[in-house]
Amino acid sequence: MNIVEVSDHKHRKAFLDLARIIYKNDPNYACPLDGEIEGIFDPKHNSFFNHGEATRWVLENDKGKIIGRIGAFINTRKANSFDQPTGGCGFFECIDDKKAAFLLFDTAKGWLQERGMEAMDGPINFSENDNHWGLLVDGYMPQSYGMPYHQKYYKAFFEEYGFKVYYEQYSYHLDMTKQFPERFWKIAGWVAKKPGFSFEHFRYDNAEKYIQDIISVYNDAWQFHDNFSPIDPNDLRKVAKEGKGVIEEEFIWFAYYEGKPIAFFVMMPDINQILTKLNGKFHWWNKLKFLYYLKRKTITRARITIMGVVPKYQRFGVESAIFWHMDKVMKTKPHYKEVELSWVGDFNPKMISIYESVGGVRMKTHYTYRYLFDSKKPFKRAPIIPLENRVNKLKSKNVKESAE
């Protein structure tokens, strides 16, 4: 076998084509667009290259046939915030051959070690964790856009190599043809009408304002999470620009208290229901097909990609009130039958409780693994931070700032 770093058109094409070969006869698989995957490894398109580096390889058998692939990356904003400097690997695909899989893992590990890393997370993305993150281990059904789909035998490859589960990721499904639980409606309706609180959805004619609102809530809500790093506004602007024509303005909601943003909720139409027909290609004919299927309301599922509430308001039922508004929107769009709430980590019991309170049913599980290069060092799972701890940290921070 021969491992080749991707550096020319031939091997870039081979990297992309391998997934089409691996999942050729699997009706559940929706091939990501080639341009999207290429953009992740292109410094001109991926802002993470401003604070990191990445590369990728393909694996050839003795006859020169591509049988595997993998990428490796270092996000310098986060790498040194763990007990061991930690990089990542991702976009792993391989035939059912353990020797080939281990060679791919060894290659990623070696590249990371050369750059001072002592651990490797995978499979992850060289970007934010809302897309291409985690290994599918349960729920082999059509995945929503951005959620990875894998062969069942990959789990054994990762675990036999020495990867351990760092955290579990759950995706819940919500049947929009059913009513929300009665108790939920009482709380949601009460909060939605409470003085001081207001709610509005995203509008493109005021996009920059909403981008800044997302940043404000995100930085406040996630600041106490381990390995937090601020969100890049240019990444949000890019998503808004590229998603125009697909994004439903009424699927993105904001909550305010006395005019200050305190929560946001982002849901996107699941374009995987169209991408299954395009096989990863977006040439002019497929662009026409995409628009055709979009107009015919082929998309019947949406995916909640992220939801955030600043700690001070996490006991006010703000999430319920947002769902209350969203339900009214969904009633005006009856072709949407299902919502996927993904993903929520096992380290976030608060959000799991919210998803279950609205009637969500756990349908899929992904694992994010961690592999310590020195097996003698103690392995720790991702920490769970109870809501009470976050509130206490916030109080301590406020007291400290007042004293200063």
Side-chain angles (χ1 to χ4, degrees), residues 16 25 57 74 84 227 243 273 276 283 286:
L16 297 169
N25 298 312
W57 301 266
I74 299 171
Q84 298 86 19
N227 313 304
Q273 291 181 295
T276 55
H283 44 65
N286 274 359

Side-chain angles (χ1 to χ4, degrees), residues 48 78 125 127-133 147 167 169 218 303 306 343 347:
F48 272 57
K78 293 186 177 182
N125 188 10
S127 185
E128 299 295 347
N129 64 9
D130 56 332
N131 288 325
H132 306 297
W133 203 282
M147 292 301 293
Y167 54 79
Q169 305 158 232
Y218 180 91
R303 176 195 170 200
I306 187 169
W343 53 265
F347 52 81

Side-chain angles (χ1 to χ4, degrees), residues 37-56 72-77 111 125-127 232 235 238:
I37 303 302
E38 282 298 287
I40 291 168
F41 292 93
D42 186 346
K44 295 179 181 178
H45 291 89
N46 187 348
S47 65
F48 272 57
F49 279 95
N50 295 330
H51 49 84
E53 55 183 314
T55 191
R56 52 182 163 158
F73 7 83
I74 299 171
N75 177 356
T76 55
R77 282 183 176 173
W111 185 85
N125 188 10
F126 188 50
S127 185
D232 187 336
D235 288 340
K238 180 181 177 183

Side-chain angles (χ1 to χ4, degrees), residues 64-103:
K65 181 180 178 181
I66 303 298
I67 59 173
R69 75 179 198 187
I70 199 168
F73 7 83
I74 299 171
N75 177 356
T76 55
R77 282 183 176 173
K78 293 186 177 182
N80 295 305
S81 61
F82 301 101
D83 290 341
Q84 298 86 19
T86 302
C89 67
F91 300 95
F92 170 87
E93 303 288 356
C94 189
I95 62 170
D96 194 357
D97 184 319
K98 185 166 75 171
K99 184 179 179 182
F102 281 19
L103 179 53

Side-chain angles (χ1 to χ4, degrees), residues 187-188 190-192 199 313-322 350:
I187 298 172
W190 176 73
V191 176
F199 301 84
Y313 296 93
Q314 287 179 359
R315 289 186 175 278
F316 283 71
V318 175
E319 306 93 335
S320 300
I322 291 177
K350 167 69 174 176

Side-chain angles (χ1 to χ4, degrees), residues 205-236:
D205 60 9
N206 204 10
E208 186 60 30
K209 181 255 188 192
Y210 295 113
I211 287 172
Q212 296 303 322
D213 288 348
I214 288 177
I215 292 170
S216 173
V217 173
Y218 180 91
N219 290 345
D220 201 348
W222 272 267
Q223 63 178 307
F224 300 122
H225 286 212
D226 276 20
N227 313 304
F228 161 80
S229 61
I231 197 166
D232 187 336
N234 288 324
D235 288 340
L236 296 179

Side-chain angles (χ1 to χ4, degrees), residues 18-307:
L18 180 63
R20 283 185 270 268
I21 295 169
I22 294 285
Y23 301 103
K24 184 177 181 180
N25 298 312
D26 193 333
N28 291 327
Y29 180 68
C31 186
L33 293 174
D34 289 353
E36 177 188 350
I37 303 302
E38 282 298 287
I40 291 168
F41 292 93
D42 186 346
K44 295 179 181 178
H45 291 89
N46 187 348
S47 65
F48 272 57
F49 279 95
N50 295 330
H51 49 84
E53 55 183 314
T55 191
R56 52 182 163 158
W57 301 266
V58 291
L59 180 63
E60 301 173 339
N61 65 11
D62 294 337
K63 295 181 180 180
K65 181 180 178 181
I66 303 298
I67 59 173
R69 75 179 198 187
I70 199 168
F73 7 83
I74 299 171
N75 177 356
T76 55
R77 282 183 176 173
K78 293 186 177 182
N80 295 305
S81 61
F82 301 101
D83 290 341
Q84 298 86 19
T86 302
C89 67
F91 300 95
F92 170 87
E93 303 288 356
C94 189
I95 62 170
D96 194 357
D97 184 319
K98 185 166 75 171
K99 184 179 179 182
F102 281 19
L103 179 53
L104 289 165
F105 293 147
D106 283 343
T107 302
K109 173 187 174 183
W111 185 85
L112 292 169
Q113 281 183 311
E114 289 173 0
R115 288 155 179 79
M117 298 297 102
E118 298 175 10
M120 172 169 66
D121 286 352
I124 64 171
N125 188 10
F126 188 50
S127 185
E128 299 295 347
N129 64 9
D130 56 332
N131 288 325
H132 306 297
W133 203 282
L135 183 82
L136 179 67
V137 297
D138 185 51
Y140 294 90
M141 60 184 70
Q143 305 290 301
S144 61
Y145 177 74
M147 292 301 293
Y149 184 83
H150 297 110
Q151 292 287 3
K152 293 181 180 179
Y153 59 82
Y154 287 3
K155 182 175 183 287
F157 286 164
F158 276 84
E159 294 182 0
E160 290 178 24
Y161 185 78
F163 284 91
K164 295 181 180 179
V165 178
Y166 186 51
Y167 54 79
E168 299 183 8
Q169 305 158 232
Y170 307 131
S171 294
Y172 287 78
H173 282 211
L174 190 60
D175 185 345
M176 297 307 299
T177 66
K178 296 181 179 180
Q179 288 289 332
F180 284 11
E182 186 177 345
R183 178 179 175 275
F184 165 83
W185 280 125
K186 289 181 179 178
I187 298 172
W190 176 73
V191 176
K193 298 174 182 177
K194 193 174 181 182
F197 288 88
S198 60
F199 301 84
E200 60 186 74
H201 65 75
F202 174 84
R203 291 182 176 84
Y204 264 102
D205 60 9
N206 204 10
E208 186 60 30
K209 181 255 188 192
Y210 295 113
I211 287 172
Q212 296 303 322
D213 288 348
I214 288 177
I215 292 170
S216 173
V217 173
Y218 180 91
N219 290 345
D220 201 348
W222 272 267
Q223 63 178 307
F224 300 122
H225 286 212
D226 276 20
N227 313 304
F228 161 80
S229 61
I231 197 166
D232 187 336
N234 288 324
D235 288 340
L236 296 179
R237 295 182 186 110
K238 180 181 177 183
V239 170
K241 180 180 178 181
E242 294 179 350
K244 198 165 188 178
V246 175
I247 289 174
E248 301 259 16
E249 291 182 328
E250 294 171 296
F251 279 8
I252 303 174
W253 277 83
F254 297 84
Y256 301 87
Y257 183 71
E258 296 182 348
K260 180 182 178 181
I262 61 170
F264 71 88
F265 167 109
V266 178
M267 185 166 75
M268 306 287 281
D270 184 9
I271 62 172
N272 263 10
Q273 291 181 295
I274 298 179
L275 295 186
T276 55
K277 310 172 191 299
L278 308 186
N279 202 28
K281 304 294 184 181
F282 208 49
H283 44 65
W284 71 269
W285 179 244
N286 274 359
K287 289 179 181 179
L288 291 177
K289 286 171 67 176
F290 185 92
L291 293 173
Y292 169 78
Y293 287 116
L294 190 65
K295 213 165 207 180
R296 285 179 60 88
K297 295 182 169 55
T298 302
I299 300 177
T300 62
R301 183 174 62 237
R303 176 195 170 200
I304 296 175
T305 60
I306 187 169
M307 187 173 185

